Amino acid sequence: PPAGGSPGALNPFDRRLKRKQKNWAALQAEPAKCDYLREEVGGRIADRVFDITRTFPLALDVGSGRGYIAQHLTKETVEKLIQVDIAENALKNAIESEIPTVKVVADEEFLPFKEDTFDLVVSSLSRALCVCVLQIHQVLKPDGVFIGAMFGGDTLYELRCSLQLAELEREGGFSPHVSPFTAVADLGHLLSRAGFNTLTVDTDEIQVNYPGLFEVMEDLQGKYILCMGESNCSWNRKPLLHRETMLAAAAIYQEMYGNSNGSVPATFQIYYMIGWKYHESQAKPAQRGSATVSFGDLAKIEGLLKRGKK
């Protein structure tokens, strides 16, 4: 399938540009300086894998990058791991792991695997996640589990708000400079429509402090381009920010969000999701009307406990 696709409502990202960004990012010197966010999220996904008391013979990491999840997993939990990423340079520079791995260069939106292949699928901070959950469901075996993480809608709200206000003031309008993110209310519907059941969605925030807006932008060049390869690749992106606009945005950032010590925060909101592929052995909800105790009786529990103490 074409790597770039065509602009439209169903896919707001330029996949061809995304591949170029991630390939360029993987070739930069000392990428580990900017890996801490992906490594932290990868570790939290691994913790969720460990919470499931079973061994997974074959697992798939969608949008694996340099292997931020694999480095936290153990061979006692995952016996073999397939790593898939659109950027071949990221796979070439993958972090070592004790798990036997196979690296596959492929667009995450077009997974090249047969149905009912994997016991576990994981994905960390991949922008293609929203459009490939259906394929993830297809490649999972019955009773297989998907565990993923993606940026939430409030990610970098301080930066986005400051840039928008500065552009409105200096240029009379604004355009997106950070790729759009998903709202948490949409995740449950997305996973359910893809066929997953027994869903779990939770959210977390990671806040990093910087000396100022320009340091935020520099570090995001490292996170979103140099290592994470996740810079703005929307079809309607604006290629240039004027210097006066940047200076105004820095002042707004400091005034609206600055800390007492002079630093400014940057917030990364992370959504974690867990979904299972249906299998007849899974627990099923009871039929409607089959309950033998009313929720209204719960109000009587406190009185019964007090009576028992007396």
Side-chain angles (χ1 to χ4, degrees):
S6 57
L10 295 179
N11 190 344
F13 303 116
D14 184 344
R15 298 296 294 165
R16 186 174 287 106
L17 176 61
K18 174 64 63 181
R19 182 176 185 178
K20 290 181 179 180
Q21 289 173 347
K22 296 188 73 173
N23 268 321
W24 178 79
L27 294 178
Q28 302 309 301
E30 299 183 342
K33 289 184 177 179
C34 303
D35 278 352
Y36 59 87
L37 186 61
R38 275 197 177 275
E39 290 181 354
E40 176 65 25
V41 176
R44 297 185 185 188
I45 291 179
D47 288 340
R48 287 163 168 80
V49 175
F50 296 143
D51 288 338
I52 303 173
T53 56
R54 66 169 66 173
T55 299
F56 300 97
L58 184 61
L60 172 68
D61 186 353
V62 178
S64 63
R66 298 178 60 242
Y68 303 100
I69 301 176
Q71 64 177 324
H72 298 284
L73 296 173
T74 64
K75 58 185 177 181
E76 289 76 21
T77 303
V78 176
E79 296 179 352
K80 186 176 182 179
L81 179 67
I82 308 297
Q83 295 177 316
V84 173
D85 199 275
I86 194 175
E88 58 271 19
N89 290 335
L91 295 174
K92 291 178 182 178
N93 296 326
I95 304 169
E96 291 187 5
S97 170
E98 66 177 60
I99 303 173
T101 60
V102 176
K103 300 173 178 58
V104 178
V105 179
D107 192 331
E108 300 96 312
E109 295 185 19
F110 306 97
L111 296 177
F113 305 106
K114 296 180 180 180
E115 294 186 15
D116 304 336
T117 299
F118 298 97
D119 305 280
L120 166 71
V121 176
V122 294
S123 182
S124 178
L125 305 182
S126 172
R127 286 289 173 81
L129 191 55
C130 283
V131 295
C132 67
V133 289
L134 181 60
Q135 294 187 61
I136 289 175
H137 182 269
Q138 291 175 344
V139 301
L140 270 174
K141 292 180 179 179
D143 201 34
V145 60
F146 164 60
I147 303 177
M150 62 188 305
F151 287 116
D154 288 337
T155 295
L156 298 175
Y157 70 89
E158 305 98 338
L159 175 63
R160 288 185 287 153
C161 184
S162 300
L163 290 173
Q164 289 175 7
L165 290 176
E167 279 192 290
L168 284 171
E169 176 189 346
R170 298 304 175 101
E171 303 180 27
F174 68 89
S175 61
H177 296 280
V178 178
S179 295
F181 301 108
T182 304
V184 67
D186 299 329
L187 284 184
H189 299 295
L190 182 67
L191 294 172
S192 179
R193 291 182 63 182
F196 289 100
N197 57 31
T198 318
L199 304 177
T200 301
V201 177
D202 62 285
T203 181
D204 197 3
E205 287 188 355
I206 300 175
Q207 191 174 87
V208 184
N209 293 321
Y210 299 89
L213 176 138
F214 292 102
E215 287 77 13
V216 174
M217 298 288 286
E218 182 179 0
D219 194 50
L220 291 181
Q221 289 288 315
K223 282 187 176 60
Y224 280 69
I225 298 179
L226 296 184
C227 294
M228 296 173 68
E230 296 289 349
S231 62
N232 182 17
C233 58
S234 302
W235 290 103
N236 59 342
R237 61 189 177 273
K238 185 178 180 180
L240 178 65
L241 272 173
H242 296 98
R243 178 175 175 79
E244 290 186 359
T245 303
M246 290 292 294
L247 292 173
I252 293 172
Y253 205 139
Q254 184 65 51
E255 179 66 24
M256 293 182 62
Y257 306 106
N259 299 317
S260 58
N261 62 359
S263 64
V264 296
T267 300
F268 299 90
Q269 186 181 44
I270 313 296
Y271 296 154
Y272 297 93
M273 65 206 82
I274 301 176
W276 295 79
K277 187 169 182 177
Y278 174 77
H279 187 267
E280 58 183 9
S281 65
Q282 295 173 348
K284 300 178 179 62
Q287 292 183 355
R288 185 177 181 87
S290 63
T292 58
V293 179
S294 171
F295 279 109
D297 295 335
L298 295 177
K300 303 176 183 178
I301 292 180
E302 185 176 355
L304 293 173
L305 291 175
K306 290 180 180 179
R307 189 182 306 172
K309 290 180 180 179
K310 291 180 181 181

